[in-house]
């Protein structure tokens, strides 16, 4: 088992923690039985803590499980599509009819897209693959 010394700002202490991996059932939106392998650090009292250097790690794992179960595009795929189209976040969001802040959060894996947004991403991807551009853009 890996061990690492961390400063715990909540307890204002520095101590050695033991790495723990747990398979857990999590809920993301309407999916309540997602099995996710989560990562924790256990202190000397046996309490589990998320990674102090990456506190969103387990949330990211849960989002990935949700997207996989739903068949949704990943943030990386969405960003790659936008880059291939040569569009900024603001331009791509406007073309899709969604808020730029929503697109930014989805691309940065801080939020999971809803079904209609994923349908828009997939439609844009299919149109781009077939035509080399989005509708209304002949360049």
């Amino acid at each position: 088992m890996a061990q690492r010394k961390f400063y715990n700002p909540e307890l204002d202490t520095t101590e050695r923690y033991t790495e723990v991996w747990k398979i857990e059932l999590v809920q993301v939106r309407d999916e309540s039985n997602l099995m996710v392998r989560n990562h924790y650090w256990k202190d000397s009292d046996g309490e589990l803590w998320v990674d102090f250097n990456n506190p969103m790690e387990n949330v990211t794992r849960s989002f990935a499980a949700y997207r996989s179960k739903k068949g949704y595009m990943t943030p990386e795929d969405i960003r790659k599509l936008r880059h291939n189209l040569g569009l900024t976040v603001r331009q791509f969001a406007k073309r899709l009819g969604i808020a730029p802040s929503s697109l930014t959060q989805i691309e940065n894996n801080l939020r999971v897209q809803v079904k209609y947004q994923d349908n828009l991403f997939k439609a844009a991807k299919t149109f781009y693959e077939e035509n080399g551009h989005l509708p209304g853009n002949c360049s």
Side-chain angles (χ1 to χ4, degrees), residues 9-10 18 35 70 75 82:
E10 190 173 323
T18 303
M35 290 193 62
K70 293 290 194 179
R82 181 176 59 76

Side-chain angles (χ1 to χ4, degrees), residues 1-25:
M1 285 191 281
Q3 291 195 337
R4 191 177 297 163
K5 196 178 244 186
F6 286 106
Y7 169 71
N8 184 331
E10 190 173 323
L11 301 177
D12 194 27
T13 61
T14 299
E15 70 174 274
R16 198 165 277 294
Y17 290 78
T18 303
E19 189 172 40
V20 174
W21 291 90
K22 287 182 68 174
I23 295 181
E24 299 177 309
L25 285 177

Side-chain angles (χ1 to χ4, degrees), residues 29-90:
R29 295 209 171 141
D30 60 326
E31 293 293 334
S32 59
N33 291 314
L34 296 169
M35 290 193 62
V36 178
R37 186 172 182 245
N38 282 328
H39 183 223
Y40 298 99
W41 292 95
K42 183 169 62 171
D43 66 17
S44 58
D45 293 330
E47 186 169 353
L48 297 179
W49 298 84
V50 296
D51 193 317
F52 299 103
N53 299 326
N54 186 6
M56 291 294 289
E57 177 184 24
N58 292 337
V59 173
T60 299
R61 291 173 184 281
S62 296
F63 285 179
Y66 180 84
R67 284 188 180 100
S68 176
K69 175 128 185 183
K70 293 290 194 179
Y72 286 1
M73 290 178 66
T74 67
E76 296 79 18
D77 291 338
I78 296 163
R79 184 179 298 109
K80 181 180 175 187
L81 171 62
R82 181 176 59 76
H83 284 172
N84 288 344
L85 288 163
L87 299 174
T88 65
V89 168
R90 187 169 299 283

